[in-house]
Amino acid sequence: MAEFLTKIIPNVIKYSGTFYSAIAETFIMSIWAGSIAFVLGLIFGVAITVTKKGSILPNNAIYQSLDKTINFFRSIPFIILLTGVMPLSRLLMGTAIGVKGAIVPLVFGTTPFFTRQIESALAEVDRGIIEAALSMGLSPFQIIFRVYLKESVAAITRATTITAISLLGLTAMAGAVGAGGLGNYAIMYGHDRNMLDITWITIIVMVILVSLIQLAGNSIAKKNMH
């Protein structure tokens, strides 16, 4: 088996240590940036939903501020955002390169997207249920947790799945500026050194990771469908 692998993917075998490190770096970036973006996106998504006109906590100032800020960051291509937030990365993480340096731009690139996904998920909640909760005397915060979030578990799961897959793609793109991970591995060895077996193995690994995320997301969403 070892001889067969050496024959078809010689460079992957030769740089296997770097390959495994790249996978680990991709996981580290995805988990850290994804966790932070999930919390922020959930908070902002709920905030923008409940503060819009006609909702349970209408506040035009907060709504407009969040809406404009989200639109601003969503309009910036990620490859430009990577360099644009370098000073902030240095301030917060002590570096603008490598895995640590990539976390800040990944959060900035993912949070606005996830916020809109959450906004869409919460918009699916039946207005009649919300009105019934209000008539029963539930406070706005009780409605947020007992109605909006509880009724949207499946939709939020789908939103999280889509965002996680998008984030995985962003980690690969971050490799273009030396962030580490599979993207950097594919560029440094597969592209720059013309090692096509490394390029194809990286593609296969990314496809497998995306498929696993999608499978897990579909399974969780299915279990929480009403």
Side-chain angles (χ1 to χ4, degrees):
M1 185 66 177
E3 291 182 8
F4 176 71
L5 291 175
T6 301
K7 181 178 291 187
I8 62 171
I9 49 172
N11 296 304
V12 175
I13 300 299
K14 182 178 180 181
Y15 297 101
S16 58
T18 307
F19 176 55
Y20 297 135
S21 295
I23 294 175
E25 289 169 352
T26 294
F27 275 114
I28 292 170
M29 287 189 286
S30 298
I31 291 170
W32 275 101
S35 299
I36 297 170
F38 178 84
V39 173
L40 294 177
L42 193 62
I43 292 172
F44 294 152
V46 169
I48 204 170
T49 297
V50 301
T51 57
K52 67 175 58 177
K53 185 178 179 180
S55 193
I56 59 174
L57 287 172
N59 188 310
N60 191 56
I62 293 176
Y63 175 79
Q64 291 296 335
S65 297
L66 284 173
D67 187 61
K68 297 298 187 294
T69 301
I70 292 165
N71 287 341
F72 173 76
F73 281 104
R74 283 199 69 188
S75 66
I76 304 173
F78 183 68
I79 196 68
I80 297 175
L81 188 64
L82 278 169
T83 57
V85 299
M86 276 185 174
L88 184 60
S89 295
R90 291 193 186 96
L91 178 65
L92 296 177
M93 308 301 292
T95 180
I97 59 175
V99 173
K100 288 177 65 177
I103 291 175
V104 172
L106 285 171
V107 170
F108 272 87
T110 305
T111 300
F113 178 79
F114 187 56
T115 298
R116 290 303 188 194
Q117 292 289 319
I118 292 297
E119 182 185 7
S120 297
L122 298 182
E124 296 179 13
V125 176
D126 189 345
R127 181 67 189 176
I129 299 176
I130 298 170
E131 291 175 354
L134 286 169
S135 66
M136 291 170 62
L138 269 66
S139 68
F141 287 100
Q142 287 176 317
I143 293 174
I144 288 171
F145 288 100
R146 294 186 184 182
V147 180
Y148 274 116
L149 295 180
K150 186 177 180 180
E151 294 293 321
S152 302
V153 172
I156 290 173
T157 299
R158 289 193 294 269
T160 303
T161 302
I162 293 169
T163 304
I165 291 171
S166 175
L167 175 59
L168 193 63
L170 295 184
T171 64
M173 194 183 300
V177 292
L182 287 167
N184 184 64
Y185 177 71
I187 291 169
M188 183 181 296
Y189 293 95
H191 180 269
D192 294 346
R193 303 186 188 184
N194 198 31
M195 298 176 177
L196 293 181
D197 57 322
I198 285 180
T199 299
W200 283 108
I201 285 295
T202 303
I203 291 172
I204 291 170
V205 170
M206 293 294 285
V207 169
I208 291 172
L209 291 176
V210 167
S211 299
L212 290 174
I213 292 171
Q214 189 67 63
L215 184 64
N218 289 345
S219 177
I220 296 172
K222 187 176 181 180
K223 289 179 180 179
N224 288 279
M225 289 290 287
H226 294 292

